[in-house]
Amino acid sequence: MNKQDLLIRTKQFSLRIINLAAQMLKQPGVARILADQILRSGTAVGANYRATCIAKSDKDFLNKLKICEEEADETGFWLDMLIESGTMRPELLQDLRDEASQITAILTASIKTKKLHMQQKTHS
């Protein structure tokens, strides 16, 4: 997956989270409270990945990528909490949960690759 593909994918993920949060805000109780948490972390995935695309250095890129990874993982946590608390049915969130896991895995692999390339540069 190239940078442009991931840029589109993380933006689409953020848009899906916005739609989910909008639906959650229509519900009473815990769903309304969790909507804020998932909205913050889920939209941060796309916003922070966009920031990686204009990073000023390899270290800046790596730091921004780590933030994306953390936000994607946190979003997965909130999706799990929605399911495990019985706030939302698993089948409603499964695709979104899978996407959060896949994006987290892609970002984790990208971080490892970038670190390896940075180490190779310093030893060259």
Side-chain angles (χ1 to χ4, degrees), residues 13 37-38 40-46 48 65-78 100 104 107:
F13 178 74
Q37 294 292 335
I38 201 164
R40 289 175 192 264
S41 65
T43 56
V45 175
N48 284 301
L65 205 56
K66 287 178 182 178
I67 293 168
C68 293
E69 176 193 38
E70 290 170 5
E71 296 294 348
D73 184 61
E74 181 181 337
T75 304
F77 171 81
W78 291 120
T104 301
L107 294 169

Side-chain angles (χ1 to χ4, degrees), residues 1-3 5-7 9-10 45 49 61 65 68-69 72 98-114:
M1 174 167 289
N2 66 34
K3 186 186 285 189
D5 291 339
L6 193 52
L7 187 65
R9 190 167 176 178
T10 56
V45 175
Y49 187 74
F61 177 83
L65 205 56
C68 293
E69 176 193 38
D98 289 345
E99 183 67 354
S101 294
Q102 289 176 27
I103 289 172
T104 301
I106 291 166
L107 294 169
T108 300
S110 296
I111 289 166
K112 288 179 183 177
T113 300
K114 188 61 170 178

Side-chain angles (χ1 to χ4, degrees), residues 13 15 33 44-45 50 55 58 62-63 67 71 76 79 82 94-96 98-99 103 111-113 117:
F13 178 74
L15 289 168
I33 296 165
V45 175
R50 183 175 172 149
D58 285 346
L62 186 59
N63 287 332
I67 293 168
E71 296 294 348
L79 290 166
L82 287 169
Q94 191 57 52
D95 287 345
L96 199 52
D98 289 345
E99 183 67 354
I103 289 172
I111 289 166
K112 288 179 183 177
T113 300
H117 288 154

